Amino acid sequence: MKFSVLRWTVLCLFAGTASAQTLDAVDAKNASLIALDQRAYVSGTYGNGKIDGENVRGKATLGWAFEVRFGKEVTLPGLDTGKLFSANEKFRVDVVHYNEGHPDNNHRDGFALQGMYNKPLGKIVSAEVGLGPYYSMNTTTIGGVQHNNSNLGVLLSTALLIDVDQLGSGAHIRLGFNHVSMPGAGAHSSNAVLIGVGKYFDTTPARSMPGLVDDRLWLGVAAINGQTNHGNTERSAGASAEIKKYYGPWAFSASAIAEGDDDTRVDRRGLAAQAWYVQPLADNWSASAGVGPYVTTNKRGSSDQARLMALITMQVDRNIGKDWKAFASFSRVNTFREKNDRDLFRVGVMRSFGG
């Protein structure tokens, strides 16, 4: 899971940026749908740390945690007058996927939404701090039974950003520290130091992102590699079909998903609906995050009864001409009350129709 996510993160960071071209100003409709005065941001980092809590036993080191984030600079109401903050102090909103590694009897990861504050410390160094809710899922064994425990906590992040112009404008080394606090009974906290790369992207005109500002529908198919978050299960091959409609920085999708058979616990299929936030990056590249309900049946379950679950996704898209795009995504199926949470890696293509 770690290397698959890292590959599409690095791809998102640097692909296509060297050939970015200056485009004419967009029309009023486009400008109203996608703000043009703020930069986008992407980073990927690896590191290590420790967990801490009353129920921690055995090895407490995380064992190579990693984080992927993307976001956008924002102007907060009342803070753009220059009275409280200088012009070079920035605010950003980030979507984060954080995997806390593999300490003994714990494998926790999840998704966070953070508000970030960034302040330059010199010509090539800036510091930032961020805080926000963190929804996590932890695979752990209690009393000889394996569980997928979900908890809502807080992710605190700090970082030093060191500019590296050799990698392109806005590129930098990111040295960060993450602290996770979980209020749930028996849930541990964690601390980690992470290092990696990040990049700011100058705002991409909306007209360079086909489909984000017109009336077309996108139809797509994808191949799935699935992994059940439970011991003694096999990876599985599956497929999905999707219909998607964009409304500027927002999108809505409906999909049919066959996750594949892990030979032990899960042979699941179902229907999902997701609401998306879409962030354009370089010309023809975008990152997005989606969440929504997922109604499924499991042939290896105790019954054929339909279950309501959640599907959370982070995705990278690459437009190919006007009518096609390729995408790669990581999704978490959150079953809530079952022990069959799953990671789905998807690679696929979409084509537009209408408009």
Side-chain angles (χ1 to χ4, degrees):
M1 181 171 69
K2 295 179 181 179
F3 293 104
S4 297
V5 175
L6 180 64
R7 276 196 292 267
W8 68 257
T9 304
V10 173
L11 187 67
C12 175
L13 281 172
F14 299 111
T17 61
S19 61
Q21 299 177 353
T22 302
L23 300 176
D24 296 333
V26 299
D27 57 35
K29 176 184 177 182
N30 290 357
S32 67
L33 288 172
I34 297 179
L36 301 179
D37 58 349
Q38 307 293 353
R39 296 181 300 171
Y41 181 77
V42 175
S43 69
T45 54
Y46 268 85
N48 206 342
K50 297 184 69 174
I51 64 175
D52 182 62
E54 295 180 1
N55 298 320
V56 173
R57 301 289 185 272
K59 184 187 72 172
T61 55
L62 297 180
W64 294 105
F66 73 87
E67 175 201 271
V68 177
R69 67 172 62 227
F70 76 88
K72 181 180 180 180
E73 290 181 342
V74 296
T75 300
L76 300 181
L79 298 180
D80 55 353
T81 62
K83 296 180 179 179
L84 295 177
F85 298 93
S86 62
N88 59 3
E89 294 175 88
K90 303 292 185 181
F91 293 90
R92 204 175 65 239
V93 176
D94 285 356
V95 178
V96 184
H97 174 243
Y98 184 34
N99 188 310
E100 298 177 60
H102 295 264
D104 283 353
N105 195 29
N106 286 282
H107 179 194
R108 189 169 68 189
D109 68 330
F111 298 86
L113 184 67
Q114 287 187 309
M116 307 294 297
Y117 164 73
N118 180 284
K119 179 178 177 60
L121 300 181
K123 291 184 177 180
I124 65 170
V125 179
S126 64
E128 64 182 33
V129 60
L131 184 70
Y134 173 50
Y135 182 66
S136 72
M137 294 135 281
N138 185 31
T139 302
T140 182
T141 299
I142 302 173
V145 178
Q146 198 167 95
H147 295 265
N148 293 125
N149 294 330
S150 299
N151 284 289
L152 180 63
V154 175
L155 176 63
L156 169 67
S157 300
T158 62
L160 288 176
L161 279 54
I162 305 170
D163 292 346
V164 184
D165 292 337
Q166 293 86 341
L167 298 179
S169 176
H172 53 265
I173 301 297
R174 181 182 178 93
L175 178 61
F177 170 80
N178 279 353
H179 171 74
V180 173
S181 178
M182 285 289 168
H188 60 269
S189 62
S190 74
N191 296 286
V193 175
L194 307 137
I195 187 169
V197 292
K199 184 173 176 61
Y200 280 102
F201 292 86
D202 291 335
T203 302
T204 300
R207 64 179 294 177
S208 71
M209 301 297 297
L212 295 193
V213 291
D214 54 36
D215 295 326
R216 288 181 288 168
L217 289 175
W218 290 81
L219 301 179
V221 294
I224 295 177
N225 185 296
Q227 176 65 63
T228 307
N229 293 319
H230 196 285
N232 303 314
T233 58
E234 300 292 332
R235 287 188 173 273
S236 63
S240 66
E242 181 180 39
I243 182 170
K244 199 168 191 176
K245 180 72 170 67
Y246 291 90
Y247 300 87
W250 307 103
F252 296 92
S253 68
S255 55
I257 302 172
E259 298 178 31
D261 188 356
D262 68 6
D263 294 333
T264 307
R265 303 184 63 86
V266 178
D267 184 7
R268 197 160 50 206
R269 58 207 62 202
L271 300 174
Q274 289 186 284
W276 298 80
Y277 171 72
V278 184
Q279 176 59 60
L281 301 174
D283 287 351
N284 292 312
W285 287 87
S286 65
S288 56
V291 62
Y294 178 34
V295 179
T296 74
T297 58
N298 182 10
K299 286 188 175 182
R300 292 191 176 273
S302 58
S303 71
D304 291 332
Q305 182 179 356
R307 302 282 189 181
L308 178 61
M309 303 177 184
L311 187 68
I312 308 170
T313 304
M314 292 182 72
Q315 182 166 305
V316 173
D317 294 273
R318 172 64 162 94
N319 283 85
I320 305 171
K322 179 182 178 181
D323 297 322
W324 290 89
K325 68 173 63 181
F327 66 89
S329 70
F330 164 75
S331 295
R332 167 58 64 87
V333 178
N334 188 355
T335 60
F336 298 110
R337 56 186 173 181
E338 296 186 358
K339 306 177 182 68
N340 298 322
D341 283 10
R342 220 166 192 212
D343 297 328
L344 305 179
F345 299 95
R346 285 187 277 184
V347 177
V349 295
M350 302 192 82
R351 190 186 190 284
S352 67
F353 294 88

